[in-house]
């Protein structure tokens, strides 16, 4: 456990409110907001208020106020619906963009695509149009005031471009850290994995740790990821090993799975998650011995580094 704690301390990485805090690069990262999930529950007859918009906005404000990052990264599955986006999804996304643009001008919003984000470009474009419609209204009011006074210089508010509000990527690299949702294998032609990548930060899995019938959103640190494939005796021959390694990015050293940032997804217990991972990066980790390389991390009043998954299961039996 101390080795894992030292790993994050040496990289100046911290944990808070289901986010990863990179103090060295003034960056905050979250994953799996699943904006619109509350509306889906309502469509299915679950009318109990889940306060999706309020919780997400309040958590973002807390992180921005406390850490004042230069970059706020959303690591995929920003939206929930694959199509037929509910109106409230546009509303929540617009409020996030407006919040950061108006109140936190020194923070850049970085969006990384996830498998749920098929409609993200359309939603973002509609939000941009909404911004510019409001700017047009301001310009019309300003023009009228100048005309009524009969003098003065009329200077328009400039329209916004998408990069005034956000940047969007398939993956994002910052100083040895790779932010990627993890829903599919990255193409080696588009990304050169070198020794400078210390950690891949991903989402997609929504891990939780259940202790004494209480569920805690959990980060998962996966150590020595590359060594699992180097030592895998099931590989057929050296050529297959090389091809497999190149295609599947098995030379990654460490992976951190972020918990869901939203309060709505129930999460998956990590002892049930092993062997049933969704990400192609983790699906192959079925060997019982590899449970010794998976370490849950929980942030409550303080950061708690837990023993590896094998030791936790032995204790709970």
């Amino acid at each position: 456990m101390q080795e894992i704690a030292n790993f994050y301390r040496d990289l100046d990485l911290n944990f808070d409110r289901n986010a990863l805090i990179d103090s060295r690069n003034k960056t905050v990262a979250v994953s799996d907001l699943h904006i619109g999930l509350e509306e889906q529950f309502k469509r299915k007859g679950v009318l109990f208020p889940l306060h999706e918009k309020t919780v997400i906005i309040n958590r973002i404000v807390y992180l921005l106020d406390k850490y004042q990052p230069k970059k706020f990264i959303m690591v995929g599955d920003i939206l929930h619906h694959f199509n037929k986006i509910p109106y409230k999804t546009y509303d929540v996304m617009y409020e996030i963009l407006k919040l950061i643009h108006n109140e936190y001008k020194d923070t850049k919003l970085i969006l990384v695509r996830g498998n749920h984000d098929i409609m993200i470009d359309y939603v973002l474009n509609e939000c941009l149009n909404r911004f510019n419609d409001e700017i047009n209204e301001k310009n019309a009011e300003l023009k009228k005031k100048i005309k009524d006074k009969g003098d003065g210089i009329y200077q328009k508010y400039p329209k916004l471009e998408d990069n005034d509000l956000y940047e969007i990527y398939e993956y994002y690299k910052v100083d040895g850290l790779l932010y990627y949702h993890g829903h599919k294998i990255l193409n080696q032609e588009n990304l050169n994995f070198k020794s400078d990548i210390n950690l891949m930060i991903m989402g997609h899995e929504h891990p939780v740790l259940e202790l004494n019938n209480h569920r805690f959103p959990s980060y998962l640190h996966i150590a020595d990821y590359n060594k699992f494939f180097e030592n895998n005796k099931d590989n057929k021959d050296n050529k297959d090993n090389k091809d497999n390694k190149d295609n599947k990015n098995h030379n990654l050293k460490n992976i951190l799975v972020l918990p869901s940032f939203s309060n709505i997804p129930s999460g998956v217990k990590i002892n049930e998650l092993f062997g049933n991972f969704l990400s192609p990066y983790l699906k192959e980790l079925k060997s019982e011995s590899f449970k010794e390389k998976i370490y849950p991390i929980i942030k409550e009043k303080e950061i708690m580094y837990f023993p590896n998954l094998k030791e936790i299961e032995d204790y709970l039996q």
Side-chain angles (χ1 to χ4, degrees):
M1 292 185 291
Q2 189 59 46
E3 182 180 354
I4 304 303
N6 291 341
F7 174 83
Y8 287 97
R9 183 193 62 199
D10 291 344
L11 290 174
D12 287 333
L13 298 177
N14 210 335
F15 308 94
D16 197 1
R17 301 288 176 93
N18 294 8
L20 179 69
I21 317 302
D22 179 0
S23 300
R24 185 178 300 173
N25 297 292
K26 298 284 287 183
T27 295
V28 171
V30 301
S31 185
D32 295 280
L33 287 78
H34 286 276
I35 299 170
L37 183 54
E38 180 177 22
E39 191 64 24
Q40 176 167 307
F41 283 142
K42 287 182 179 178
R43 290 177 179 180
K44 293 182 178 180
V46 180
L47 302 179
F48 185 81
L50 298 171
H51 308 293
E52 176 183 72
K53 177 180 176 180
T54 301
V55 171
I56 288 177
I57 293 292
N58 286 347
R59 288 182 176 181
I60 291 175
V61 167
Y62 165 84
L63 292 167
L64 293 176
D65 282 345
K66 184 173 181 179
Y67 298 104
Q68 300 181 6
K70 291 181 180 178
K71 295 176 182 177
F72 189 87
I73 305 175
M74 296 182 179
V75 194
D77 281 5
I78 300 154
L79 308 181
H80 181 71
H81 291 81
F82 294 97
N83 51 38
K84 296 182 180 179
I85 305 295
Y87 174 77
K88 287 189 176 180
T89 297
Y90 296 95
D91 186 47
V92 176
M93 194 71 233
Y94 173 78
E95 290 300 324
I96 292 172
L97 293 170
K98 183 178 179 181
L99 170 73
I100 296 177
H101 180 263
N102 291 350
E103 305 297 330
Y104 301 93
K105 296 184 181 296
D106 293 331
T107 299
K108 188 69 177 183
L109 178 61
I110 305 294
L111 307 176
V112 176
R113 299 178 192 273
N115 55 302
H116 275 257
D117 296 322
I118 295 173
M119 299 291 288
I120 188 71
D121 293 298
Y122 181 80
V123 171
L124 292 170
N125 188 61
E126 289 298 306
C127 291
L128 179 62
N129 290 338
R130 186 170 168 182
F131 269 96
N132 285 325
D133 286 344
E134 292 180 357
I135 289 172
N136 288 336
E137 291 176 6
K138 287 182 179 179
N139 284 330
E141 291 176 5
L142 181 62
K143 185 177 181 180
K144 185 176 183 303
K145 287 180 181 179
I146 296 295
K147 184 177 180 182
D148 291 344
K149 288 182 178 181
D151 58 5
I153 300 174
Y154 172 47
Q155 186 173 356
K156 289 184 177 181
Y157 291 101
K159 285 190 175 183
L160 297 177
E161 302 291 338
D162 52 6
N163 60 3
D164 294 320
L165 300 173
Y166 62 87
E167 296 175 7
I168 187 165
Y169 302 92
E170 296 299 320
Y171 61 88
Y172 195 70
K173 286 177 66 179
V174 182
D175 190 25
L177 305 178
L178 171 66
Y179 295 90
Y180 178 60
H181 188 64
H183 55 297
K184 59 184 179 180
I185 298 295
L186 279 171
N187 189 337
Q188 280 282 13
E189 294 178 359
N190 298 330
L191 178 64
N192 184 16
F193 281 102
K194 295 181 179 179
S195 58
D196 65 340
I197 295 182
N198 295 312
L199 182 68
M200 180 170 82
I201 298 103
M202 58 173 281
H204 199 49
E205 304 289 352
H206 309 178
V208 297
L209 182 62
E210 185 172 289
L211 297 170
N212 298 325
N213 295 321
H214 288 81
R215 296 164 70 92
F216 302 92
S218 175
Y219 305 82
L220 287 185
H221 177 84
I222 300 170
D224 300 328
Y225 177 81
N226 54 334
K227 292 183 180 179
F228 171 80
F229 298 97
E230 290 173 3
N231 299 330
N232 189 349
K233 297 179 181 179
D234 295 331
N235 290 336
K236 293 179 181 179
D237 55 50
N238 292 335
K239 181 179 183 303
D240 287 345
N241 287 349
K242 181 180 184 304
D243 292 342
N244 196 34
K245 188 172 181 179
D246 288 344
N247 293 333
K248 296 269 180 106
N249 312 150
H250 289 161
N251 45 343
L252 282 168
K253 297 176 182 178
N254 297 280
I255 294 176
L256 177 70
V257 184
L258 298 178
S260 172
F261 188 62
S262 171
N263 64 316
I264 299 179
S266 59
V268 182
K269 291 192 295 184
I270 59 171
N271 56 320
E272 295 176 356
L273 195 58
F274 187 84
N276 295 289
F277 285 111
L278 297 173
S279 171
Y281 283 99
L282 307 180
K283 273 185 176 181
E284 296 175 75
L285 307 182
K286 296 180 180 180
S287 169
E288 287 292 315
S289 63
F290 206 75
K291 289 182 179 179
E292 298 176 1
K293 298 296 184 180
I294 299 178
Y295 297 85
I297 303 168
I298 290 177
K299 172 63 167 67
E300 289 294 307
K301 291 183 178 180
E302 60 184 25
I303 299 173
M304 294 177 282
Y305 294 92
F306 280 77
N308 64 57
L309 183 56
K310 177 68 167 59
E311 292 182 31
I312 293 174
E313 288 185 345
D314 291 343
Y315 175 79
L316 294 176
Q317 286 179 355

